[in-house]
Amino acid sequence: MSGEVLNAQDGNGTVNRVIRMGTRKSQLARIQTDYVAEKLKTLYPDVLLEIVAMSTIGDKILDTALSKIGEKSLFTKELENALERNEVDLVVHSLKDLPTTLPNGFTIGAVLQRESPHDAVVLHPKNSGLTLDTLPDGSVIGTSSLRRAAQLKKKFPHLEFKDIRGNLNTRLKKLDEKEDYAAIILAAAGLKRMGWEARVSQVLGPEDCMYAVGQGALAVEVRARDCDILGMVSTLHHSETVLRCIAERAFLRRLEGGCSVPVAVNTEVKDSVLSLTGAVYSLDGADSLKEAMETSVDSGNKVEESADIQHVGVTAHNVPQCAQVAAEKLGVDLADLLLSKGAMEILTTARKLNDAR
Ligand code: DPM
């Protein structure tokens, strides 16, 4: 069944291929899927695209912090089931919601050019003009991200942090229509895609808050053996984003981290050098380890070729293999450095304390 070609007649009697795109039902997921659909439509004008929207566990459980639900593939399982049953041919995700190890039979066939990977502050309208620094003592900041809370608690000890769940629309509503939160922290990329850039009062640089692995990048998940679809979506890959995200995902995977651990990164590619800064934090940010490393990703650079075509779940035939190998090694090496300094102890304690919350 895999790779089966579905055909449809258009009004002119031409036979066209139908590609079904799976998406979650949230407005952000729909916007992201429509964005990828537009790109595919431009590249392959003869293909008919159909969008299939469904709810996932992450969309249904709205009262519990993500980090406490304990299911690794919160936003992906139902969509992968649909892929497996050939009900859809590809699924569009935020890369940061995809586990670093995908279930067998699936791969990330495209990683699109990254939006801003940074986090942003959205203020309650009554606090307009203030910053995290100038908000009054005891102001409550909404975020369920252990990563954001850990870094910001350390940096802004006068603030308090409280969980907030729900999709972006729900969160903005909870912020504006109640007095529970002075501000919330959200990914700048999601806010931009929703058209809410005007609500961003402050974008947090790496000195305040490093971002999550894969943040700001869109990923297209496909059946690993579906060469047709894989070839088609691979034209969407953005090389620099692919290399940065492979390094980030390799780092997180080596630390055995998921979306529920306080792990943060910062990456950059400049003159064919990929640099990665990675950090782990205790829940209150008091304990942390942070290191940086770099590697050449020059495609002329001799690095041992690996037989592995997937790198931390990503298949990118059109990005130099040696650069992908170097990026993956960078992530693993940086994680090993942090592990040698006690990162596992910090993460294990953070996990235990979070489970007991
Ligand atoms: C993951 C986290 C969050 C999402 C954890 C983290 C934020 C949870 C929260 C793994 N996934 O970032 O430390 O704030 O309570 C998510 C968002 C986007 C993708 C929304 C957001 C949009 C941005 C993107 C939720 N997943 O982070 O504000 O495409 O990267």
Side-chain angles (χ1 to χ4, degrees):
M1 277 293 274
S2 181
E4 176 199 31
V5 175
L6 270 162
N7 294 309
Q9 300 268 332
D10 67 15
N12 305 316
T14 350
V15 176
N16 289 312
R17 167 129 200 213
V18 177
I19 306 285
R20 295 207 194 97
M21 306 176 66
T23 178
R24 293 168 51 208
K25 283 182 175 167
S26 77
Q27 193 186 348
L28 178 62
R30 298 298 302 257
I31 288 171
Q32 295 181 162
T33 304
D34 288 348
Y35 176 80
V36 174
E38 277 306 309
K39 297 244 159 206
L40 287 173
K41 198 77 220 162
T42 309
L43 288 163
Y44 309 100
D46 292 336
V47 159
L48 296 179
L49 298 171
E50 222 173 272
I51 293 178
V52 181
M54 48 197 117
S55 296
T56 64
I57 310 171
D59 300 307
K60 286 171 190 158
I61 309 177
L62 292 177
D63 49 356
T64 314
L66 283 187
S67 60
K68 298 217 57 173
I69 301 177
E71 161 70 59
K72 276 212 192 82
S73 43
L74 270 184
F75 294 113
T76 55
K77 205 177 207 160
E78 282 85 352
L79 293 158
E80 280 165 353
N81 289 344
L83 259 182
E84 188 153 47
R85 293 193 296 257
N86 288 308
E87 291 165 11
V88 299
D89 302 298
L90 59 89
V91 176
V92 178
H93 302 279
S94 284
L95 181 60
K96 88 162 168 173
D97 294 328
L98 281 181
T100 54
T101 303
L102 298 181
N104 261 332
F106 302 104
T107 190
I108 298 167
V111 179
L112 284 79
Q113 180 165 18
R114 200 173 213 174
E115 275 287 346
S116 162
H118 300 289
D119 292 310
V121 179
V122 179
L123 292 169
H124 188 284
K126 73 173 181 213
N127 293 320
S128 170
L130 298 181
T131 63
L132 290 184
D133 245 331
T134 57
L135 276 171
D137 280 8
S139 292
V140 175
I141 311 299
T143 178
S144 310
S145 156
L146 302 180
R147 172 186 63 80
R148 290 172 183 147
Q151 294 181 80
L152 297 175
K153 274 176 187 170
K154 178 76 190 295
K155 182 95 190 181
F156 305 98
H158 67 294
L159 302 175
E160 280 178 34
F161 291 82
K162 229 179 103 188
D163 281 335
I164 182 166
R165 270 296 325 273
N167 60 42
L168 291 192
N169 307 63
T170 316
R171 288 186 194 206
L172 220 52
K173 233 177 152 168
K174 282 181 181 169
L175 172 70
D176 288 348
E177 292 176 8
K178 295 187 190 174
E179 299 286 318
D180 295 358
Y181 305 99
I184 58 177
I185 315 289
L186 294 169
L191 289 163
K192 174 160 187 217
R193 293 186 194 122
M194 295 288 277
W196 293 338
E197 269 172 312
R199 288 301 305 267
V200 173
S201 65
Q202 198 180 351
V203 173
L204 300 172
E207 60 295 339
D208 287 331
C209 189
M210 295 208 299
Y211 43 85
V213 165
Q215 186 161 316
L218 296 183
V220 180
E221 188 181 17
V222 300
R223 291 177 290 270
R225 281 185 301 272
D226 194 337
C227 298
D228 277 5
I229 299 280
L230 206 47
M232 175 180 273
V233 302
S234 68
T235 53
L236 299 172
H237 270 308
H238 180 255
S239 304
E240 183 180 314
T241 307
V242 168
L243 296 175
R244 289 171 66 185
C245 291
I246 285 177
E248 295 172 16
R249 287 170 59 81
F251 175 70
L252 184 63
R253 173 142 98 184
R254 189 67 155 202
L255 293 173
E256 295 166 31
C259 72
S260 58
V261 288
V263 169
V265 293
N266 193 79
T267 50
E268 189 187 31
V269 178
K270 214 173 164 184
D271 303 329
S272 295
V273 172
L274 169 63
S275 40
L276 166 67
T277 304
V280 304
Y281 306 89
S282 62
L283 291 189
D284 62 3
D287 265 346
S288 66
L289 287 168
K290 178 159 133 185
E291 293 291 341
M293 278 186 178
E294 55 181 47
T295 189
S296 167
V297 285
D298 192 330
S299 46
N301 184 33
K302 286 268 172 298
V303 183
E304 214 176 291
E305 288 287 333
S306 104
D308 234 352
I309 300 161
Q310 282 197 34
H311 297 278
V312 271
V314 179
T315 303
H317 296 295
N318 44 350
V319 177
Q321 277 296 314
C322 58
Q324 294 185 58
V325 171
E328 182 167 0
K329 181 171 185 304
L330 178 68
V332 172
D333 287 349
L334 188 70
D336 283 342
L337 177 61
L338 288 184
L339 289 168
S340 76
K341 298 185 174 216
M344 200 46 81
E345 289 69 26
I346 294 181
L347 290 179
T348 306
T349 308
R351 262 194 214 101
K352 275 190 195 143
L353 284 174
N354 184 52
D355 289 344
R357 262 199 314 161

